[in-house]
Amino acid sequence: MVKRYSFGEVFQTDSIPVIPEAQSGAVPYMEVNESEMSLTYTMDPEDIVYGLGENVRGINKRGWIYESKCSDESKHLEDRRSLYAAHNFIVVDGREKFGLFIDYPGILTFDVGYTELSTLKITASDWNLDVYVIEEDTVTDIIRSFRRLIGRSYIAPLWAFGNGQSRWGYINAEDVREVVRKHRENGIPLDMVYLDIDYMERFKDFTVNKERFPDFADFVKEMKDQHIRLVPIIDAAVKEEKGYSVYDEGIEKGYFCTNEAGKPFVGAVWPGRSLFTDMLNKEARDWFGDQYKVLLDQGIEGFWNDMNEPSIFYAEDRLADALKEIAEMQDGEQNLDLDAFTHFKNLVLDLSANPEDYKKFYHTVNGKKIRHDQVHNLYGYNMTRAAGEAFERLEPDKRILIFSRASCIGMHRYGGIWQGDNKSYWAHLLMNLKMLASLNMCGFLYTGADLGGFGSDTTEDLVMRWYALGIFSPLMRNHSEMGTRRQEVYRFTDLEGFKHMIGLRYKLLPYLYSEYMKAALRSDLMFRPLAFDHPDDKRCRTIEDQLYLGRELMIAPVYEQNARGRYVYLPERMKMLRFTRDGRIEETILEKGDHYVEVPLSDVVFFLREGHLLPLSKGGQCVDDVDFEDLAVISFGENAEYEYYHDDGFTRDYENPANFRVIRAGQK
Ligand code: MIG
């Protein structure tokens, strides 16, 4: 049961498609303090607090303070309060169980036992918000109710479940060809190559650099003939340049955010001085969405939206002030003491991602000016919505791949997200796993982290272990930062190992896609903590390094360097499946309890639950190669069966009953 409580004048976020009637009376569970603009709950020592989607730390969010404030945060350290998203949904699971969603576009703090161990306190920046309380018997049901409320999660095309290769630094067609050639030559399956900002002409959205990609449409086709999709990046900001049609048109129609004086607000990102499309203005949003057509017309079928928190390197006026002050310093005495030096240094450092800049520009919504900071968390959401809505107009019968960096609940209906600029840290492999569960709770199903790590130099063993997790995540992409060690798998020594691992992804595809679709269509979780299925098993309530995947599987990746295996807790009897590099599958039944499981680097080990079965395809070099009907099964239990979903993978006829069938053990 969902109840809405409304306070003040609520900005229409469209996070929830059909808004239920507001209740009168007090908000259950929470103590409301209007003057403090807060909601408080006293937690029982046993309570777990789930949710908050994309954030650092555990699946249980207790013990830290989180801020919903979409930020270009490239250091995913434990002390960070925000990453790129605002996912204002939590579930309290203890003696009392309830879900709480705050529909609010501004900056919001979740203090989950940080200031006081047992106090959960949510504080808004102004008192205009909708509070939703969700009550059901189980945590899973609470989440399902919430997910129904926020609407069906985005569904990606089938090919987007293939293996993707990316790097900030593939600058021309030749670079891309090489990546594809190396994969094909070595028999490593591949479906996508991502294009980062270098494909554009001087970082201008919706343009292609003609020297680097002389005939882009031909090149897209050349790739597609090899079953490779190119997936270009789109940045939020639009370069200021007369003669560039996106700039000219946007200015002419008044589609950019404005400053106090009503002039277009200028901030700088990749192309230098840039403007920010008013994504909250429907007309401007439609117009921005229509721009994707230029690339769709050249055969592109997928995109990733970046820098849409929005990230700002510097605002025009702040830069001018800083330069002026520095010039004055130059004329004066150049003997800077600690305070003067700190001030000088910060003049430059504070230019980037300065929260004050978000107070300097405005949106126009239904003729009303709204200062950006009050609706900050809706920006990336609405950029991706611009794209998603445009795809429905422009390609009504075809699914287009789209995922975003910044997000807010509501955006999950239009696209997926990737987990941003992680690093080649072992800790980030584990964080990847935890985030999968938290993101699923918030409606984000098409997601994954940069495999191998984006920033920092990686190592072969880290990449290998990361793939052993990444082969399960819907978005599977190896991506890395310019200047770091190259990490395409063919650059490492154990090619056979990688080939085996990525090959296994393609064998698992029928299952993974089926589970994805069922989760999307039924508002279910694809990945979930063990405690959701075993609420009375105390051990499960603290396990955060193993997850259930669908009804059938439990995954428990190795996430420590030089570990030769790990302890796994089985809440029930399970069949351990070990996929080895020579193509063997070992099946071992293990009893409920703790087990030390050896996992050599290139083995993939996971667990099948009793009464269930896992369908497997024969694999392939690309998704088009995979036969989704000719399936082998591994089963555990005589009457094991599986509800299998499959569809054409590219139209939107999701609900067709013909897409579902039951597979039984001993029968294909
Ligand atoms: O601030 O386009 O998260 O994936 O490679 C860097 C360059 C801008 C950030 C994205 C990353 C991408 C990079 N972008």
Side-chain angles (χ1 to χ4, degrees), residues 627-648:
D627 187 335
F628 283 82
E629 292 310 321
D630 182 14
L631 304 172
V633 302
I634 303 177
S635 56
F636 183 17
E638 268 174 28
N639 301 317
E641 51 178 50
Y642 177 63
E643 186 189 24
Y644 180 54
Y645 177 99
H646 196 65
D647 60 17
D648 63 26

Side-chain angles (χ1 to χ4, degrees), residues 552 608 611-615 633-636 640-642 663-665:
E552 291 69 29
L608 176 64
H612 293 280
L613 65 79
L614 171 69
V633 302
I634 303 177
S635 56
F636 183 17
E641 51 178 50
Y642 177 63
I663 300 178
R664 292 192 175 80

Side-chain angles (χ1 to χ4, degrees), residues 174-215:
E174 222 17 73
D175 284 352
V176 175
R177 283 192 186 103
E178 187 193 67
V179 171
V180 174
R181 196 168 50 238
K182 293 281 191 199
H183 278 83
R184 292 286 181 252
E185 262 170 30
N186 289 304
I188 305 162
L190 185 72
D191 269 272
M192 289 158 271
V193 177
Y194 289 81
L195 300 179
D196 209 318
I197 46 177
D198 305 295
Y199 80 89
M200 297 182 205
E201 191 195 308
R202 284 171 299 127
F203 311 124
K204 287 189 288 185
D205 276 342
F206 312 111
T207 68
V208 176
N209 183 312
K210 291 208 176 57
E211 273 149 40
R212 296 174 173 188
F213 296 90
D215 195 325

